[in-house]
Amino acid sequence: MCGRFLMGATLEELLKRYKIQEDVEKEFKYGEIFPNDTSIVVVRDKQNFLKNMKWGFINPYNNRPIINARSETVYQKSMFKDSFNKRRCLIPVTAFYEWKKEHKTSVKYEIKIANKNIFSLAGIYISYKDNKNQTYTVFTILTTSPSKPIEDIHGRMPVIINEEFEEEWLSNKDTNFEFTKSLMKPYQDSLLIKQADSHNDLRLF
């Protein structure tokens, strides 16, 4: 599970990092992002651009948002497969959080990539209509099995897309299916892991 992440980059840093020419979104949430929050997402339509989206697909069975999708089955599940084929996105983060069960408590860990201020989590998105017939867009984060440094903390981790493959991930047309699947694997490069300052419980899960 990826239950929270940190967006600590400025708009200028995001525009430069993702080679975006027009800053369509002027404002976005800065700091720790929770499920149901709106966060900045990178999508592509001829060129990259930023879009604010709400975190969590609509769950048809209860009010809990679906904030993660398993990479092993995302291209098979009816709720996700169309988005996987046509609407892939990148979620820029400066860190993500995982919780380790220790006795009767859960200890929060902050996880970053060494020498990278901003990195990209793999996501998919979809648009819905609200009860006023207004369109809004949501995303979910893809997860995979944990890499060695994380497996002692949690049984899953978000899919991190290496910078060199970000354009391929965003290119939702004429993409090699097997190659796209191959990008959804545990991250193998260096990670910086430290115990976070707070021990907030995951209130929704």
Side-chain angles (χ1 to χ4, degrees):
M1 175 190 290
C2 176
R4 290 191 210 151
F5 60 87
L6 181 68
M7 169 37 60
T10 66
L11 177 60
E12 291 73 20
E13 288 172 328
L14 290 172
L15 295 175
K16 180 178 180 180
R17 169 65 174 76
Y18 294 99
K19 302 178 178 64
I20 295 172
Q21 303 300 317
E22 297 183 39
D23 53 338
V24 178
E25 297 286 2
K26 302 294 185 181
E27 297 181 358
F28 57 90
K29 183 178 177 182
Y30 185 90
E32 190 168 351
I33 309 299
F34 291 69
N36 271 328
D37 280 352
T38 295
S39 190
I40 203 71
V41 173
V42 181
V43 294
R44 184 170 181 82
D45 182 10
K46 297 183 180 178
Q47 62 182 15
N48 294 352
F49 65 95
L50 300 175
K51 184 177 178 64
N52 275 312
M53 297 184 189
K54 189 176 180 181
W55 185 12
F57 276 36
I58 292 177
N59 192 324
Y61 303 107
N62 56 51
N63 292 324
R64 290 184 174 184
I66 300 176
I67 62 171
N68 293 156
R70 295 177 67 92
S71 60
E72 297 89 343
T73 57
V74 67
Y75 48 87
Q76 299 170 331
K77 298 287 187 179
S78 58
M79 176 176 286
F80 303 127
K81 64 181 181 180
D82 191 58
S83 291
F84 177 77
N85 289 328
K86 301 176 182 177
R87 295 180 296 276
R88 293 189 300 275
C89 61
L90 297 171
I91 297 91
V93 304
T94 50
F96 65 92
Y97 300 102
E98 296 292 358
W99 279 256
K100 180 180 180 180
K101 293 288 186 181
E102 293 187 2
H103 305 294
K104 295 182 179 181
T105 63
S106 294
V107 178
K108 182 180 180 182
Y109 285 87
E110 180 182 88
I111 303 163
K112 298 182 177 181
I113 293 182
N115 303 315
K116 286 186 182 293
N117 180 42
I118 304 169
F119 57 100
S120 302
L121 306 185
I124 57 176
Y125 65 98
I126 191 171
S127 294
Y128 297 111
K129 296 278 190 180
D130 63 18
N131 54 16
K132 296 182 180 179
N133 206 35
Q134 298 295 311
T135 300
Y136 66 100
T137 306
V138 302
F139 71 92
T140 193
I141 294 172
L142 306 189
T143 65
T144 185
S145 54
S147 58
K148 287 286 185 183
I150 296 178
E151 61 185 10
D152 185 51
I153 298 173
H154 200 277
R156 302 290 291 176
M157 69 175 292
V159 173
I160 298 172
I161 301 296
N162 286 320
E163 189 170 350
E164 62 184 305
F165 298 125
E166 289 175 350
E167 289 302 310
E168 283 84 354
W169 180 261
L170 290 174
S171 178
N172 292 296
K173 297 178 180 178
D174 302 321
T175 303
N176 184 286
F177 179 67
E178 292 302 321
F179 177 73
T180 304
K181 284 172 57 179
S182 75
L183 299 179
M184 300 186 293
K185 59 187 179 183
Y187 189 75
Q188 298 303 319
D189 292 339
S190 297
L191 294 170
L192 299 177
I193 303 174
K194 69 174 184 177
Q195 188 170 322
D197 294 333
S198 63
H199 296 263
N200 297 332
D201 292 332
L202 282 175
R203 294 175 298 177
L204 293 176
F205 310 98

